[in-house]
Amino acid sequence: MGIVTFVDETTVGERRTAWGLEIAQERLTVRELIRRRVFQEVAEYNARTPEAFQGLVQPEDTERVLNGYAVRTPRRIDPERQTALAERAFAGNGFLVLVGDRQVTDPDEEIDLALGTEVTFLKLVPLVGG
């Protein structure tokens, strides 16, 4: 069992604090890695229900705020629905996935999760006025 470190970055240079997730398998598909990440962040949100959801993709019926996404009506977020949003965002280039220094583009590609693997989720931010 090892810890996979997740790092969120944006194309404008923002970087959120890295966090780890225990993964028992040595190999996973990118799709499964995204699913586990989303399930973890949704579970943490649902356990505390803070004002802002800080996750990979914006949940439905939320507003983007400085520290994440403000949930208009306090509610639990559905991890299955949130995973589907993340998969669509990945397919539509809403974010890139880098495993170490290598970009992976196929959600069904299996990746090795050696000890100390760092996975970067690079969120693509549209340019203003362009």
Side-chain angles (χ1 to χ4, degrees):
M1 181 178 309
I3 302 282
V4 174
T5 302
F6 294 118
V7 177
D8 289 347
E9 294 183 358
T10 67
T11 52
V12 295
E14 296 172 359
R15 182 179 168 106
R16 283 191 29 205
T17 304
W19 58 282
L21 181 64
E22 284 189 11
I23 307 251
Q25 292 81 4
E26 294 177 6
R27 293 179 61 81
L28 279 182
T29 64
V30 174
R31 180 184 318 276
E32 180 62 17
L33 193 64
I34 291 170
R35 186 188 79 74
R36 290 190 190 192
R37 181 225 159 110
V38 169
F39 265 66
Q40 180 64 35
E41 63 195 18
V42 167
E44 289 176 12
Y45 172 83
N46 286 341
R48 295 185 325 240
T49 318
E51 289 183 23
F53 173 75
Q54 295 182 347
L56 180 59
V57 293
Q58 183 172 358
E60 296 170 337
D61 194 31
T62 62
E63 179 182 341
R64 184 181 301 270
V65 294
L66 183 62
N67 295 332
Y69 307 103
V71 180
R72 292 187 179 125
T73 305
R75 62 178 164 81
R76 295 179 61 81
I77 293 177
D78 178 2
E80 294 290 348
R81 182 171 290 153
Q82 196 64 16
T83 299
L85 290 171
E87 288 177 353
R88 280 197 298 275
F90 180 67
N93 293 322
F95 63 88
L96 305 177
V97 175
L98 305 169
V99 179
D101 292 333
R102 185 176 69 84
Q103 179 181 349
V104 289
T105 57
D106 180 358
D108 296 316
E109 179 180 341
E110 282 196 350
I111 54 174
D112 291 317
L113 300 175
L115 188 62
T117 299
E118 182 174 281
V119 179
T120 301
F121 291 85
L122 181 62
K123 296 180 184 183
L124 304 179
V125 179
L127 299 174
V128 176

